[in-house]
Amino acid sequence: MSATQPVQPVQPKVTEREARQVAEAAREQDWRKPSFAKELFLGRFRLDLIHPHPLPADEDVRRGEAFLARLRVFCENEIDGQRIEREARIPDETVRGLKELGALGMKIGTEYGGLGLTQVYYNKALALVGSVSPAIGALLSAHQSIGVPQPLKMFGTKEQKDAYLPRCATSAISAFLLTEPDVGSDPARLATTAVPDGEDAYVLDGVKLWTTNGVVADLLVVMARVPKGEGHRGGITAFVVEADSPGITVEHRNAFMGLRGLENGVTRFHRVRVPAAQRIGAEGAGLKIALTTLNTGRLSLPAMCVGAGKWCLKIAREWSGVREQWGRPVARHEAVGAKISFIAATTFALEAVVDLASQMADEDRNDIRIEAALAKLYGSEMACLMADELVQIRGGRGFETAESLAARGERAVPAEQMLRDLRINRIFEGSTEIMHLLIAREAVDAHLSVAGDLIDPDKALSDKARAGARATGFYARWLPKLAAGPGQVPGAYREFHPAGHPDLATHLRYVERGSRKLARSTFLAMARWQGRMETKQGFLGRIVDIGAELFAMSAACVRAEHLRATGDHGREAYQLADAFCRQSRLRVEELFGRLWSNTDDLDRKVVEGVLGGAYTWLEEGVLDPSGDGPWIAEAAPGPSVHKNVHRPLR
């Protein structure tokens, strides 16, 4: 079939409303704990929730630092990142070494044979190993952050934990299987089924795509739809499945522009019998389990982005200090110096965001679902920018591969590989566009709780009347508080302006003012667009990006003050925080301006023209090198006709 010909969808159609209802039902509805980011979007700058900076327990530090020391030695001596890039595979002996080191069980409790590291030290370990090989970082993260260990820790039975966590801690690699060939971030159309077989089993049928670790996994977390019927509430449900079960075929190992050592594949289930005892949670709870798991699981990705930023800074410093142009090092030229300043300041802020969110996750005092999502969104975007700037600083050498550089006698700096490897982070575990919508939904939750029925066209007049009364009371109390605050008081947050240091108090006052302005803007948008608010994705994306910048500024200032108070590079930290906040404020001002002055309406008209064929003349004069075939591969259930490329690493 020609790539230009339309193909029939392989999934049944689901309306937009039905898809949203599925996503909404999977949301964690309640806010039982405070959230700094949630308050920030509501115009309430709760600095007390993050300052003073929370600290890990001494024993957690001792255990974490001891493991990091062992891991560093292993990374220096046993991991060959360029070999992994060249062969597109992590050597079996490297994986065995990681198992012996205990790296598979970093987040698993000691009672199950794991290391019992905190989220803070787990993230530091991922940043370290990911700097040597992002593919290994992805393997360890997929196994522990979203694979079998995390959902079992949170939702598994005692029997399931006893059966699987010791294996995951020492030998069994796990994978998470949700995505399908025609199902990405819209799980309402999930096609893989788990049909009850008597009272003690289910039978799985379907195809899963982009199964990170799936090629080498021993255990799988599989999301499948249980049909509704007598004795079965049905819905998307989570299962632990042995990867070598009869009927499972890994049909293909995918290859990507980056992360070439990633063991990512296509997995087919045909009449796979799974005992009911291997179901995680209740029927229909699968999406809620997945989203709750990701609340902290998302922190692993920005942690590796921190490692990437640190490496970019190191290479930028070393290279730009020795490379001369027009009689002086390129770092001394303002155009290059601005890029170095951006990398340094952003790395400091991103580490502040990840460490703060991770420590809050460890303490479990705050609800960090928005903070973790912001960290993922912000980290993935900024890391790509930092790697791109490093390639630019390196010039032609940044575009050249490390192998080519070494072959002609120069230092093998894999800058172009770093850029390729980081690019997937803007798609992994929720694309930037999906993260915008997810965070925006949480950010406006308070408004929808009191006024949602008022703007819902399907609600009865009586429901709208009750919602109107609730909204009147809420906004009568809330709106006046957005008029003024500590951000307008010159002496506010004075502890962030110690003698001899840059003034960070002025930045926190800006954040407080910005938080109230952000809340007012959100309210005005809801009043203007009401039920159409959910379609204004450009506006919502900018709202979220402003919140991300304000959160990062807050974290950077709090981290700088913490380092100053403990005497650990305090003066330098204040300088980096000041630089970051000044850079961030410029981005925030631009985003605020684009809330109401943008090309969103015009863009929609152009899109309609593109889809309607009005601009096909613009495509003339080129040839399309794409091959033939359907845009989306057929994924009908049935037996596999492919060779099984599953290769468990024993």
Side-chain angles (χ1 to χ4, degrees), residues 440-505:
R441 173 60 187 87
E442 299 296 351
V444 301
D445 186 58
H447 300 283
L448 294 179
S449 296
V450 299
D453 289 352
L454 198 61
I455 61 177
D456 189 336
D458 294 335
K459 291 297 181 180
L461 288 177
S462 57
D463 294 327
K464 290 181 180 292
R466 284 191 293 270
R470 286 196 307 270
T472 298
F474 173 78
Y475 290 118
R477 296 187 302 271
W478 178 68
L479 283 171
K481 296 178 182 178
L482 301 183
Q488 294 163 292
V489 179
Y493 314 115
R494 66 182 64 199
E495 67 268 32
F496 286 86
H497 190 191
H501 291 70
D503 183 4
L504 298 187

Side-chain angles (χ1 to χ4, degrees), residues 115-146:
L115 299 180
L117 298 186
T118 63
Q119 185 73 38
V120 169
Y121 276 97
Y122 169 66
N123 286 343
K124 289 181 182 295
L126 289 178
L128 174 61
V129 73
S131 66
V132 183
S133 170
I136 293 180
L139 181 145
L140 294 175
S141 172
H143 165 64
Q144 292 172 87
S145 297
I146 58 175

Side-chain angles (χ1 to χ4, degrees), residues 132-292:
V132 183
S133 170
I136 293 180
L139 181 145
L140 294 175
S141 172
H143 165 64
Q144 292 172 87
S145 297
I146 58 175
V148 170
Q150 191 66 17
L152 281 193
K153 282 169 58 180
M154 301 179 73
F155 299 98
T157 64
K158 181 180 185 304
E159 292 75 17
Q160 289 171 338
K161 294 175 183 178
D162 291 342
Y164 297 114
L165 290 184
R167 289 174 59 189
C168 290
T170 57
S171 60
I173 295 173
S174 68
F176 174 78
L177 279 62
L178 170 63
T179 304
E180 297 177 0
D182 197 31
V183 178
S185 298
D186 179 12
R189 294 159 59 242
L190 197 77
T192 298
T193 58
V195 178
D197 183 19
E199 296 183 356
D200 62 348
Y202 296 82
V203 175
L204 270 61
D205 282 280
V207 179
K208 296 294 184 179
L209 176 63
W210 296 324
T211 59
T212 297
N213 287 358
V215 178
V216 297
D218 304 286
L219 292 170
L220 313 172
V221 176
V222 182
M223 296 291 168
R225 185 184 302 280
V226 177
K228 198 170 188 178
E230 185 177 350
H232 294 276
R233 61 174 291 183
I236 298 174
T237 305
F239 299 88
V240 179
V241 182
E242 297 282 354
D244 60 358
S245 299
I248 297 181
T249 305
V250 179
E251 296 187 333
H252 179 69
R253 182 179 185 267
N254 301 318
F256 303 101
M257 66 180 284
L259 292 183
R260 290 179 175 167
L262 196 68
E263 297 290 355
N264 181 294
V266 177
T267 303
R268 177 177 292 271
F269 297 83
H270 176 61
R271 304 292 298 165
V272 179
R273 196 170 190 275
V274 179
Q278 292 174 212
R279 187 188 70 217
I280 308 174
E283 287 184 3
L287 283 184
K288 187 177 289 289
I289 289 171
L291 290 177
T292 305

